[in-house]
Amino acid sequence: GESVGLHLPTLSVQEGDNSIINCAYSNSASDYFIWYKQESGKGPQFIIDIRSNMDKRQGQRVTVLLNKTVKHLSLQIAATQPGDSAVYFCAENISPQGAQKLVFGQGTRLTINP
Amino acid sequence: EAGVAQSPRYKIIEKRQSVAFWCNPISGHATLYWYQQILGQGPKLLIQFQNNGVVDDSQLPKDRFSAERLKGVDSTLKIQPAKLEDSAVYLCASSPTLDYGYTFGSGTRLTVV
């Protein structure tokens, strides 16, 4: 069915450590994936995206890995900072033709410990 | 560029009352989305507009929810009558046609008591 899920609902890491947030998706036809960050009281904020013809993409302190064989997506955050504390969602575009339609997972709450 | 504007930020109503939310997307964005986000869950798509036409409203509870996008710009989402389970954050997002990456507004937090 159309679903995107996350393996862990919560994740705590020490400030300065690296964190990895995982996501499983079910639609083999999805062509585009996005990670969003949502802070309390705010709407989801775009972090990084990746298209299905890629397996890795890097941004500033963030890396997204895509494994289409097992339909798995991960977000790596390097040298975590207190400001990284938030809920992280993965989303997949299930409408490769025409205007995109994103389906979101349940989210992982990342807590950075000082 | 200016972001997606939503109002009001908060709304508390009693069950069976009506409520309306407003969204102004980023200028030039043809596609507009309304999502419902229940506490502790990911956003769930309610309706998708392309200009002023509906592309997908399969997840919209049409017996009580309605939405329109006048002149292909602003949009309103209405609930009538509201139920307790409608308590959620209602997020509006927009994107350029056939492009990637939504931009979300800050949402309207609805509490039905």
Side-chain angles (χ1 to χ4, degrees):
Chain A
E2 300 175 352
S3 66
V4 177
L6 293 172
H7 295 311
L8 296 172
T10 61
L11 177 65
S12 294
V13 299
Q14 291 298 121
E15 182 178 352
D17 286 353
N18 299 333
S19 66
I20 300 176
I21 301 172
N22 295 303
C23 175
Y25 65 94
S26 60
N27 192 328
S28 299
S30 294
D31 67 336
Y32 178 61
F33 304 86
I34 308 177
W35 280 99
Y36 282 92
K37 172 186 180 183
Q38 188 173 28
E39 297 174 283
S40 181
K42 297 183 179 179
Q45 176 187 5
F46 174 94
I47 301 174
I48 191 168
D49 59 0
I50 189 168
R51 301 190 182 187
S52 58
N53 60 353
M54 304 170 67
D55 54 19
K56 181 180 180 179
R57 189 156 188 233
Q58 288 184 292
Q60 186 177 15
R61 288 200 305 117
V62 294
T63 300
V64 55
L65 300 177
L66 175 62
N67 186 330
K68 293 183 288 294
T69 302
V70 295
K71 288 186 261 184
H72 183 268
L73 194 68
S74 67
L75 175 70
Q76 300 177 1
I77 305 175
T80 53
Q81 303 168 358
D84 294 331
S85 292
V87 177
Y88 291 80
F89 294 97
C90 65
E92 61 176 320
N93 177 33
I94 62 170
S95 179
Q97 306 296 326
Q100 61 175 316
K101 175 182 173 182
L102 293 180
V103 173
F104 285 76
Q106 291 299 305
T108 293
R109 179 174 297 280
L110 177 65
T111 302
I112 309 302
N113 300 314
Chain B
E1 62 181 2
V4 176
Q6 289 190 248
S7 68
R9 287 283 283 129
Y10 306 94
K11 191 74 177 178
I12 300 174
I13 62 172
E14 295 182 348
K15 59 183 179 182
R16 292 187 290 274
Q17 285 188 324
S18 303
V19 65
F21 314 125
W22 174 82
C23 173
N24 180 237
I26 292 174
S27 178
H29 281 195
T31 310
L32 184 148
Y33 309 82
W34 282 102
Y35 277 79
Q36 179 193 58
Q37 185 175 25
I38 293 173
L39 184 64
Q41 298 183 16
K44 171 190 156 186
L45 180 67
L46 291 175
I47 189 168
Q48 175 183 348
F49 290 95
Q50 185 74 12
N51 296 308
N52 61 351
V54 175
V55 174
D56 183 354
D57 63 357
S58 59
Q59 299 298 310
L60 189 73
K62 299 181 188 62
D63 58 334
R64 299 184 300 106
F65 285 64
S66 64
E68 59 181 3
R69 190 179 184 193
L70 302 174
K71 301 180 181 178
V73 182
D74 293 4
S75 177
T76 56
L77 176 69
K78 297 179 182 178
I79 307 175
Q80 180 180 10
K83 292 185 176 181
L84 296 177
E85 58 261 37
D86 297 332
S87 294
V89 175
Y90 291 85
L91 294 162
C92 180
S94 68
S95 71
T97 306
L98 300 181
D99 204 343
Y100 296 103
Y102 291 3
T103 299
F104 281 90
S106 294
T108 296
R109 180 176 295 278
L110 173 68
T111 302
V112 182
V113 298

